[in-house]
Amino acid sequence: MDWKKCGKALLFPHPAIMILLLPVATLGLIGALMYLDSDSVAAILAYLLAFYTLLVWCMRFPRLVGWIGRFRQEKRLLRRWQEDDRLRMQVSLYGGLVCNAGYAMLHLGMGIRHRSFWFGSLAAYYLFLAGMRFFLVRHKPGRGLRQELRVYRTCGIVFLGMNLAIAMMIFFMVYWNRTFLHHEITTIALAAYTFASLTMAILNLVRDRTGGSPVASASRTISLAAACVSILTLESTMLTTFGGETMDLFTRRLLLASSGGAISLFIIAMAVYMIRQSTKKLKEIAIREENPHGK
């Protein structure tokens, strides 16, 4: 038996096998954590399969990076995607619009089914975001700085109105103790997604400080606002899931009220900044047009 060949086949399996291993190992690991004893044979096999899947993907990572590099250089559409800022922004706007609208409809349906004001307030919040995304889609970037600044200012004004929905969410959380209760694994997954979304929103917003389209900046600000409210919902979920037996109701309400108030103030600050900056730049444009030669 050629042990070298067998070892290579184990460490570098066919790509189809690697892709198949991902869902199988993930489902096996989740099932073992949720339903099996940690010292059972089935759980140990699930852990070993998850470890093996992680190992073979790590072994393939350098080759995958090289393949992506060659793909980026050779593919015409990908090169266009990298070079065309307007195309990337349009895809981002439409994607955000679909996600926000779908999430709003989901919460609206749950609110109607369960007769819950909590889900209704979440639906109102995400409908606000979807409306802002639709407004940005209609006013595509590249139509003139003056028009984009007006769109940017309008989004800032809408942000002020959104605080009504956020205030309703905070009220339901604090006064009526309306929270989510999920399994620990689900809560951890929600936490990973929320922090990843927040990190990407912050990085995109910081990157945007170097300049660019006001419409693009408004879109990134919407993403940051959505991530902030997701943090508030996640906090409520984690306090209920992990702190239900160790934290009293008063402490939980105090934490939610403090973080909710801070997020609300942060969104108000973003809205005021957007309105002030856009108004200032619009005035500068008007002054330059009245005095084209600086007289």
Side-chain angles (χ1 to χ4, degrees):
M1 180 181 291
D2 191 346
W3 293 104
K4 184 177 180 181
K5 189 175 182 180
C6 291
K8 185 177 181 181
L10 285 174
L11 292 177
F12 301 97
H14 193 274
I17 297 177
M18 294 178 62
I19 294 173
L20 181 63
L21 281 173
L22 279 176
V24 173
T26 302
L27 293 175
L29 182 60
I30 293 175
L33 291 172
M34 295 179 62
Y35 304 111
L36 300 177
D37 294 331
S38 59
D39 55 351
S40 64
V41 176
I44 293 173
L45 290 176
Y47 299 151
L48 290 175
L49 180 61
F51 173 76
Y52 173 70
T53 303
L54 179 62
L55 177 64
V56 296
W57 274 95
C58 289
M59 295 295 292
R60 283 275 188 175
F61 186 73
R63 186 178 298 181
L64 182 64
V65 171
W67 180 83
I68 291 175
R70 292 191 299 272
F71 181 81
R72 291 173 61 183
Q73 294 177 357
E74 295 173 0
K75 299 299 180 180
R76 178 177 58 85
L77 291 177
L78 187 58
R79 285 201 303 270
R80 183 188 171 191
W81 171 265
Q82 291 176 323
E83 297 169 358
D84 194 339
D85 294 336
R86 188 177 301 178
L87 174 64
R88 292 199 304 270
M89 178 50 55
Q90 288 301 302
V91 172
S92 175
L93 288 174
Y94 280 106
L97 173 61
V98 171
C99 290
N100 289 149
Y103 209 47
M105 292 300 102
L106 174 64
H107 283 93
L108 182 60
M110 290 190 294
I112 295 174
R113 179 179 179 182
H114 300 290
R115 297 180 180 178
S116 169
F117 287 105
W118 163 257
F119 286 116
S121 62
L122 282 175
Y125 173 74
Y126 285 105
L127 280 174
F128 265 120
L129 292 183
M132 293 175 69
R133 298 274 192 188
F134 180 73
F135 182 66
L136 294 179
V137 166
R138 290 188 59 205
H139 297 80
K140 300 178 181 180
R143 291 189 173 182
L145 182 58
R146 184 196 296 271
Q147 180 67 21
E148 291 196 31
L149 286 171
R150 288 173 177 167
V151 171
Y152 188 70
R153 182 171 59 183
T154 302
C155 288
I157 296 172
V158 174
F159 266 128
L160 293 177
M162 284 176 57
N163 268 279
L164 179 60
I166 297 173
M168 292 174 60
M169 294 167 57
I170 298 170
F171 176 77
F172 294 140
M173 281 183 177
V174 177
Y175 186 76
W176 285 347
N177 194 31
R178 294 295 180 90
T179 56
F180 292 106
L181 180 62
H182 296 295
H183 190 276
E184 288 85 351
I185 302 300
T186 305
T187 304
I188 293 172
L190 289 173
Y193 172 79
T194 300
F195 284 114
S197 300
L198 181 63
T199 301
M200 291 302 301
I202 293 174
L203 289 176
N204 288 332
L205 199 63
V206 171
R207 198 176 298 140
D208 185 61
R209 287 174 63 87
T210 58
S213 166
V215 171
S217 180
S219 176
R220 295 184 179 106
T221 305
I222 293 172
S223 299
L224 181 58
C228 288
V229 175
S230 297
I231 286 285
L232 180 61
T233 307
L234 174 65
E235 179 188 5
S236 174
T237 303
M238 296 190 74
L239 289 176
T240 305
T241 305
F242 297 108
E245 299 179 357
T246 60
M247 184 177 296
D248 59 87
L249 182 59
F250 174 78
T251 304
R252 189 185 310 167
R253 284 177 169 175
L254 181 62
L255 288 173
L256 290 174
S258 301
S259 56
I263 289 174
S264 181
L265 290 175
F266 177 69
I267 293 178
I268 290 175
M270 285 198 304
V272 172
Y273 175 81
M274 294 171 71
I275 295 171
R276 289 188 60 184
Q277 286 295 108
S278 56
T279 302
K280 179 182 176 182
K281 291 182 179 179
L282 284 170
K283 288 181 178 179
E284 292 175 353
I285 293 175
I287 292 174
R288 285 198 301 267
E289 291 179 349
E290 291 177 0
N291 302 282
H293 303 291
K295 295 181 180 180

